Structure formats: structure tokens, C-alpha cells
Amino acid sequence: LHQQAEQTCRQLVRTQEEHERLLQAAMEQAEGLEHNLRSTEAVLAERAAQLKDAQAQLSRNKLLIKDLREENRGVAVALQAAELKQKSTEEKNQLLEEQASALKQLIGKITPASLSG
């Protein structure tokens, strides 16, 4: 009976030691998981900050694009006005050239007549 008690006691000690090893391994695994979780949270926080910055930059870019479009519309209107003015000036030039040609012809006709008279 005494031997059986000692054997049972040794078995209990081995079982307890095994449980302690398993508990230690579980605790180490939990610490590793906790470390991984903290690392993942840090990476996610960094990514969230990057996305926030990217979103702010995108908003600024949208405003710049809007401003550029408005400015472009203004430039297009000014260009159209300049083209109309250039066309009007070219038409006036053409008219003046025609008048100058007519005057030269008239002077050419008048001058010989006055020299011969």
C-alpha cells in the first residue's frame, strides 16, 4: 500500500510538473500573441495616419484642381476675347489696306493729270 501511495504521489508530481510546463508554454504563447497584437496595432495606427494624411492631401488637390479649372475658364474667356479683338483688328487692317490701295490709285490718276495740265 505504501509503494502504491508513493507511485501515485510520483505520478501526481509528474502530472503537476507537466501541467506547469504546459501553463508556462501557454503563458509564453500569450505573451508572444500580446506582442504581435501591439505590433499590429502600431502598424494599423501608422497606416491610419498615412491614410489621414493622404486624404488631407487629396482634399487639398481637389481644391487646387477646382481653382485651376476656374482660372482656366477665365483664361479661355480672355483668349476668346483676344481672338475676337485680333479678328476685328485684321478686318480693320484689311479695310485700311484697301483704302490705301484706292488712294494710291486715285493719286496715280490725279498726279499725271495735274502734271500734264
Side-chain angles (χ1 to χ4, degrees), residues 26-45:
M27 289 177 64
E28 289 172 2
Q29 186 179 14
E31 287 174 5
L33 290 172
E34 189 175 332
H35 175 73
N36 287 345
L37 178 61
R38 282 194 297 271
S39 296
T40 303
E41 287 174 341
V43 168
L44 286 175

Side-chain angles (χ1 to χ4, degrees), residues 21-86:
R21 280 193 299 274
L22 289 172
L23 179 60
Q24 182 64 30
M27 289 177 64
E28 289 172 2
Q29 186 179 14
E31 287 174 5
L33 290 172
E34 189 175 332
H35 175 73
N36 287 345
L37 178 61
R38 282 194 297 271
S39 296
T40 303
E41 287 174 341
V43 168
L44 286 175
E46 183 181 341
R47 295 280 191 233
Q50 289 173 351
L51 287 173
K52 187 176 179 182
D53 290 346
Q55 188 175 15
Q57 184 64 42
L58 182 61
S59 295
R60 287 190 296 271
N61 288 346
K62 284 182 179 180
L63 288 175
L64 286 173
I65 288 170
K66 181 181 176 189
D67 290 346
L68 287 173
R69 284 182 178 158
E70 290 175 11
E71 187 176 330
N72 196 25
R73 277 189 219 102
V75 169
V77 167
L79 179 61
Q80 188 177 15
E83 287 173 348
L84 289 173
K85 188 172 182 178
Q86 181 182 359

Side-chain angles (χ1 to χ4, degrees), residues 79-114:
L79 179 61
Q80 188 177 15
E83 287 173 348
L84 289 173
K85 188 172 182 178
Q86 181 182 359
K87 184 177 179 183
S88 172
T89 302
E90 288 172 355
E91 289 172 354
K92 288 178 184 176
N93 255 359
Q94 181 65 31
L95 183 60
L96 286 173
E97 287 176 9
E98 291 171 3
Q99 289 175 350
S101 178
L103 280 174
K104 283 181 186 177
Q105 288 178 2
L106 185 60
I107 290 172
K109 290 179 182 177
I110 295 174
T111 302
S114 55

